[in-house]
Amino acid sequence: MTRAAYDTVAESYADLVRDELDGRHLEHGLLATFADRVSSGSVLEVGCGTGRITEHLHRLGLEIAGMDLSPNMIEVARREHPHLRFGVGSMEVLDAGDSSLAGIVAWYSIIHTPPQQLSAIFAELHRVLVPEGLLLLAFQAGNERVRLEQAYGHSVSYDAYRLDPDVVVAILVEADFEVDVRVHRAPMGYESTSQAFLLARKRTS
Ligand SMILES: C[S@@+](CC[C@H](N)C(=O)[O-])C[C@H]1O[C@@H](n2cnc3c(N)ncnc32)[C@H](O)[C@@H]1O
């Protein structure tokens, strides 16, 4: 359902979100903080879509690749950012070894996962991160499932979940992450919900 929806909207999505970070100083600050704190090593954007955040973090100096569920989103990402590496896959089962990544970004990509499945996702992200490796999450805050029938100018049918930041923090802690930064801001512009950002770190066992 999610993959088919993003395959449908891929071209329009790229055009509509390309400049979305412009003037968003908080988001710029969070991404810069993440980039500063990932000192060295490989970084993966899971659910990278058409690659705008992968590109942004690459320009901040990170050695970064992107992966996404939707082959059409990846096709656009490869076309728009030919100097970066992108792959098709699911964050449920990552094609990466244990303790192999210095950082992971999930920028509005856990929003299609039912909350009860987040612990399995976080366990997989935890597996591939090095000890002290960083995880940056962005998502719409709330506590509801929304059925989307229209998106980016297309008829689609898929679900998005507004997630309670307290619940996401609790699931992260349960999955052996320490949450270092927690930001919750009011809606801006066209947004209908507040937005949450979490920077977490894999605990050293
Ligand atoms: C709202 S878009 C965000 C894309 C990109 N991070 C950005 O900010 O432009 C959500 C993306 O997450 C991807 N996605 C959703 N669930 C996924 C999963 N389980 N594994 C990998 N990608 C997933 C979708 O295919 C879609 O491209």
Side-chain angles (χ1 to χ4, degrees):
M1 204 161 64
T2 303
R3 178 194 311 221
Y6 279 102
D7 275 346
T8 301
V9 306
E11 297 288 344
S12 316
Y13 182 93
D15 291 337
L16 291 169
V17 306
R18 186 171 289 110
D19 303 324
E20 211 199 20
L21 272 185
D22 290 0
R24 298 204 169 222
H25 304 298
L26 179 68
E27 282 81 346
H28 275 267
L30 288 160
L31 289 162
T33 301
F34 174 78
D36 276 354
R37 289 186 55 183
V38 176
S39 47
S40 63
S42 301
V43 174
L44 182 66
E45 185 186 1
V46 294
C48 63
T50 52
R52 68 189 175 114
I53 300 297
T54 326
E55 176 70 47
H56 184 85
L57 289 167
H58 164 71
R59 290 185 185 179
L60 291 178
L62 293 185
E63 180 202 320
I64 187 166
M67 60 81 63
D68 198 280
L69 206 51
S70 156
N72 289 4
M73 294 291 263
I74 289 298
E75 191 180 318
V76 177
R78 286 180 175 144
R79 189 182 69 222
E80 298 218 340
H81 314 285
H83 50 290
L84 296 179
R85 276 185 303 115
F86 294 100
V88 177
S90 171
M91 67 178 100
E92 289 160 37
V93 186
L94 291 171
D95 182 17
D98 295 356
S99 304
S100 60
L101 297 176
I104 295 177
V105 184
W107 197 260
Y108 294 98
S109 59
I110 60 165
I111 61 173
H112 304 296
T113 300
Q116 62 275 18
Q117 290 171 23
L118 283 178
S119 48
I121 300 267
F122 292 160
E124 178 64 353
L125 304 186
H126 185 278
R127 178 185 72 76
V128 300
L129 280 170
V130 297
E132 301 293 316
L134 293 180
L135 170 62
L136 178 63
L137 300 177
F139 52 94
Q140 290 97 0
N143 187 8
E144 60 176 334
R145 177 172 69 89
V146 180
R147 171 51 63 97
L148 301 170
E149 303 286 0
Q150 282 289 321
Y152 310 103
H154 295 266
S155 295
V156 288
S157 182
Y158 66 131
D159 290 333
Y161 296 85
R162 314 297 187 222
L163 301 167
D164 179 339
D166 286 339
V167 170
V168 178
V169 167
I171 301 171
L172 283 167
V173 170
E174 182 69 21
D176 208 24
F177 284 94
E178 189 91 45
V179 177
D180 291 340
V181 176
R182 179 178 169 157
V183 174
H184 192 176
R185 70 155 171 80
M188 283 167 54
Y190 63 83
E191 294 167 352
S192 57
T193 63
S194 57
Q195 311 290 308
F197 306 90
L198 300 174
L199 182 58
R201 185 167 37 84
K202 175 173 170 172
R203 283 203 196 103
T204 312
S205 46

